[in-house]
Amino acid sequence: MCGIVGAVAQRNVVPILLEGLQRLEYRGYDSAGLVVVHDGKLERVRSTGRVVDLTEKSATTQGHIGIAHTRWATHGVPSERNAHPHISKNHIAVVHNGIIENYEELRSRLTTAGYEFTSDTDTEVIAHLIHSHYAHGTSLLAATQASLTELVGAYAIGVIAADNPDQLICARRGSPLLLGVGIDEHFIASDVSALLPVTRKVVYLEEGDVVELGRLAYQIFDATGARVERAVQTSEMSNESVQLGEYTHYMQKEIHEQPQALADTLESVCNSQSLVPGIFGAEAAATFADINSILILACGTSHHAGLVAKFWLEEIAGITCNVEIASEYRYRTSVPNPKSLVVVISQSGETADTQAALNHAKSLGHGHTLAICNVAESALVRLCKLRMLTRAGPEIGVASTKAFTTQLAALFLLTLVLAKQRGRLTAEQEQQHLHELRHLPSAVQKVLELEPQIAMLAVKFANKHNALFLGRGLHYPIALEGALKLKEISYIHAEAYPAGELKHGPLALVDKDMPVISVAPNDALLEKLKSNLQEVRARGGELYVFADANTHIHAADGIHIMQMPEHAGYLSPILHTIPLQLLAYYVALQKGTDVDKPRNLAKSVTVE
Ligand code: F6R
């Protein structure tokens, strides 16, 4: 959460900072700010609105060095006084992403030393700490390094000083940060999308790195203070992939990108004649031969992907699979099994709880680790022995869409590879699955054609306050995902239940004002589901059913049917996700919410 961008150049950096912030706004958007050095003084502009408001306010601001920030509030309400950058004694300015856990203790020490605090943030202690060291005549680099040794917690920071117009210091531990290398200019940013207009040459920083950047050169120091070289890489992210193009919202764009995202994720497999463990990394075959169970750790939507995978892994590969919410697993006493493959699933690869859960699992002796992730250079990918990258491309809308369906595709591949290795997949079955995977992108494209119908259906939800989602078996996690999408972007309270659970309590909620949305694939549980739907109808509940062909569920008074084009067997959860994403999107449009930046949320949850 929170986005950082910084620049030191020969030109005015303010437009670079503002463009970068705009591109990082998905990381947090309750306030924004920037600071530059101009005529030996710090000039700061902050705003509680969005980056567009900051842009208006900084129309006359200029400088050749600056740092900027877009915030997702942790300590202190969203307000101008809590917006970054934070400044100490008009001299040191800091932007920060992360949480400083010992800030109260530092704050009281610095207050006693005469520093006046003007915000409620944890970040302000960093500015004063650096100032306290800098005031004693050390360099800005040394003052920052000394201050970092006193911090407990996670940070990515950018630092500048009023009397130092060609030096930007940055550091990271636990929060992402990278350098951008230009021609006689250097940049920092939380992610590469912020820098695409100015450079594609980037250096991914390691945990504990501290960097001194000037216009012409930079030096990196590792956690021990030793000078190190890090590879300069060329980012392949295209500028178009982070632009809205013909769409109204990123979420809509990303829903429509799913056929391509799935085709890209499955490319290597679909172009070959057989499935090999190597798609998960060079050591995958040996690792898979040594495991007897799977432990999936993830949060939110990624956790829902894990719940679908459990069905696949147990039924097709015959391997026990447990799925845990990362923020719970990291704090509970579990029974470790070193023969278990720990699979972390994450769009961003930055999620603090998922990272902590992985580290916790490792500390318990879990050595077999696999990351399924959409960001190649992310912390989670680097922390795992095996990896499978989803190739969804940048996901900017806060509500996860294409990341989810590509995670499902990757998890299905994992299932098939394990099933094959465990002798549970005949050559004929393997070819059949490969055939279905090749067909998947066009099957998703067909489902997207339901968009106009779903847009019309969404009108009926505009005045609703609650909704129930039902699914069974493999599709119960899809009901969970549909409910999550609806609540996070339309603010309608939504719950999901396995349809068989209704009569154990939630049926009491059903009346004419309660829309009940059901995922109805043509699978072995269809007849059971139909009985559950009757129970709802008998109590006056209004049913919205996403039904596969030949389910023989017919539209009637109080029963609205959305006909899905085909039944996709084991891949059906992927197809059934699409209409629920579209429903949430169009209901949010009806309600006039900020679809891509729903209230109180941010894209990458890099704090606990
Ligand atoms: C919901 C959503 C979140 C994320 C969760 C995990 O639409 O996007 O629930 O899925 O915060 O994020 P990642 O996948 O980046 O670890």
Side-chain angles (χ1 to χ4, degrees):
M1 341 213 82
C2 299
I4 289 177
V5 58
V8 48
Q10 209 162 15
R11 50 179 161 160
N12 176 21
V13 297
V14 172
I16 299 171
L17 299 180
L18 289 168
E19 173 71 29
L21 283 189
Q22 193 90 56
R23 288 159 179 258
L24 291 179
E25 212 176 19
Y26 72 89
R27 301 177 64 89
Y29 36 82
D30 57 46
S31 54
L34 62 83
V35 66
V36 292
V37 176
H38 189 64
D39 284 344
K41 289 202 184 91
L42 292 176
E43 264 184 38
R44 174 173 65 178
V45 189
R46 295 186 291 178
S47 157
T48 42
R50 296 282 166 88
V51 175
V52 283
D53 302 307
L54 183 71
T55 305
E56 269 175 33
K57 282 178 96 174
S58 32
T60 56
T61 314
Q62 288 204 14
H64 293 181
I65 184 168
I67 48 178
H69 187 269
T70 177
R71 179 169 187 250
W72 186 83
T74 56
H75 296 68
V77 295
S79 64
E80 195 165 317
R81 69 191 285 274
N82 287 332
H84 299 213
H86 290 286
I87 290 184
S88 180
K89 308 237 181 210
N90 292 325
H91 213 85
I92 299 287
V94 172
V95 288
H96 166 225
N97 171 22
I99 289 186
I100 304 305
E101 289 166 21
N102 59 338
Y103 85 102
E104 279 174 336
E105 172 200 325
L106 291 170
R107 187 174 171 124
S108 83
R109 201 181 86 202
L110 288 158
T111 307
T112 311
Y115 285 96
E116 191 193 334
F117 280 78
T118 57
S119 78
D120 309 314
T121 65
D122 52 340
T123 302
E124 198 178 349
V125 298
I126 310 178
H128 295 315
L129 252 188
I130 296 176
H131 183 275
S132 68
H133 290 285
Y134 196 53
H136 288 109
T138 41
S139 68
L140 189 57
L141 172 70
T144 306
Q145 282 171 317
S147 304
L148 295 179
T149 62
E150 298 179 62
L151 302 181
V152 176
Y155 55 77
I157 58 167
V159 185
I160 58 172
D163 62 348
N164 221 333
D166 187 40
Q167 198 179 42
L168 194 164
I169 308 293
C170 72
R172 71 157 291 223
R173 185 185 292 281
S175 301
L177 196 67
L178 51 85
L179 306 187
V181 181
I183 299 167
D184 293 347
E185 52 188 13
H186 288 109
F187 312 95
I188 61 169
S190 301
D191 91 39
V192 68
S193 64
L195 300 183
L196 289 180
V198 282
T199 186
R200 287 182 173 278
K201 292 204 161 116
V202 291
V203 178
Y204 293 97
L205 298 179
E206 302 277 328
E207 283 288 280
D209 280 355
V210 182
V211 191
E212 182 182 56
L213 298 99
R215 208 163 49 72
L216 302 176
Y218 64 87
Q219 300 190 81
I220 305 179
F221 302 86
D222 70 9
T224 68
R227 185 75 211 276
V228 284
E229 297 296 328
R230 304 260 181 248
V232 179
Q233 304 184 23
T234 304
S235 170
E236 282 171 12
M237 188 184 283
S238 79
N239 211 10
E240 295 71 53
S241 65
V242 292
Q243 275 161 6
L244 205 44
E246 70 197 77
Y247 294 97
T248 316
H249 294 98
Y250 280 106
M251 183 179 179
Q252 189 194 23
K253 174 178 185 249
E254 287 155 9
I255 290 172
H256 280 272
E257 281 172 347
Q258 289 177 107
Q260 191 58 50
L262 285 162
D264 290 345
T265 302
L266 295 167
E267 187 183 337
S268 60
V269 185
C270 291
N271 288 340
S272 77
Q273 289 312 305
S274 71
L275 291 155
V276 287
I279 52 174
F280 296 94
E283 292 171 45
T287 304
F288 292 168
D290 192 44
I291 60 167
N292 61 14
S293 67
I294 308 272
L295 170 62
I296 294 180
L297 304 171
C299 301
T301 287
S302 298
H303 173 252
H304 295 159
L307 293 176
V308 175
K310 178 181 168 75
F311 281 86
W312 286 334
L313 285 160
E314 298 208 342
E315 191 167 318
I316 305 172
I319 187 162
T320 308
C321 175
N322 291 310
V323 187
E324 299 222 22
I325 292 176
S327 56
E328 289 292 307
Y329 172 79
R330 63 183 287 194
Y331 290 119
R332 81 178 185 87
T333 306
S334 53
V335 182
N337 170 11
K339 293 261 180 213
S340 198
L341 173 68
V342 176
V343 181
V344 284
I345 309 171
S346 175
Q347 187 287 125
S348 61
E350 279 180 29
T351 304
D353 282 320
T354 311
Q355 251 186 79
L358 173 65
N359 287 331
H360 179 64
K362 285 186 179 179
S363 75
L364 295 177
H366 285 283
H368 299 317
T369 52
L370 164 66
I372 292 182
C373 187
N374 198 35
V375 181
E377 307 81 10
S378 62
L380 274 180
V381 171
R382 282 188 269 166
L383 285 168
C384 286
K385 285 207 177 131
L386 306 179
R387 69 197 52 183
M388 162 102 201
L389 293 176
T390 49
R391 291 176 54 201
E395 194 181 63
I396 296 186
V398 162
S400 190
T401 52
K402 59 178 180 169
F404 178 66
T405 45
T406 53
Q407 285 167 352
L408 289 178
L411 288 160
F412 193 67
L413 291 180
L414 177 66
T415 304
L416 295 183
V417 167
L418 288 174
K420 187 173 172 183
Q421 184 151 10
R422 298 163 75 82
R424 290 177 62 106
L425 201 66
T426 63
E428 200 182 321
Q429 284 167 329
E430 180 179 0
Q431 290 314 312
Q432 182 59 28
H433 285 304
L434 282 172
H435 171 74
E436 283 158 8
L437 284 168
R438 286 186 198 110
H439 173 63
L440 183 62
S442 58
V444 169
Q445 191 64 54
K446 265 251 71 38
V447 181
L448 285 168
E449 288 170 15
L450 290 175
E451 185 167 10
Q453 275 170 271
I454 295 173
M456 278 163 65
L457 197 70
V459 178
K460 295 183 181 293
F461 287 76
N463 299 317
K464 300 289 181 196
H465 299 289
N466 300 287
L468 272 182
F469 283 72
L470 303 180
R472 291 200 73 137
L474 197 51
H475 294 80
Y476 165 53
I478 301 309
L480 284 169
E481 178 58 9
L484 177 61
K485 288 292 92 98
L486 188 71
K487 66 186 132 190
E488 76 176 315
I489 61 166
S490 76
Y491 315 149
I492 292 177
H493 170 238
E495 301 252 15
Y497 280 94
E501 271 292 289
L502 266 191
K503 54 178 126 4
H504 299 288
L507 204 51
L509 293 169
V510 172
D511 63 13
K512 64 177 182 18
D513 295 322
M514 174 67 84
V516 179
I517 298 129
S518 179
V519 182
N522 195 357
D523 65 9
L525 291 168
L526 178 65
E527 292 310 316
K528 304 272 174 214
L529 179 79
K530 281 184 180 172
S531 313
N532 302 138
L533 298 185
Q534 289 305 330
E535 291 159 12
V536 171
R537 202 51 213 124
R539 274 125 195 118
E542 185 119 15
L543 279 167
Y544 298 83
V545 187
F546 293 89
D548 285 355
N550 303 325
T551 48
H552 303 294
I553 306 175
H554 301 293
D557 192 24
I559 309 183
H560 311 270
I561 306 291
M562 287 284 112
Q563 196 71 57
M564 296 287 284
E566 60 186 296
H567 177 62
Y570 280 120
L571 296 175
S572 168
I574 298 180
L575 296 195
H576 271 277
T577 300
I578 314 292
L580 300 188
Q581 295 170 341
L582 286 168
L583 181 67
Y585 174 71
Y586 280 99
V587 174
L589 286 194
Q590 287 294 322
K591 306 232 3 167
T593 58
D594 191 342
V595 173
D596 285 332
K597 300 188 183 82
R599 70 185 178 205
N600 307 336
L601 300 178
K603 184 72 183 164
S604 303
V605 187
T606 53
V607 294
E608 186 178 344

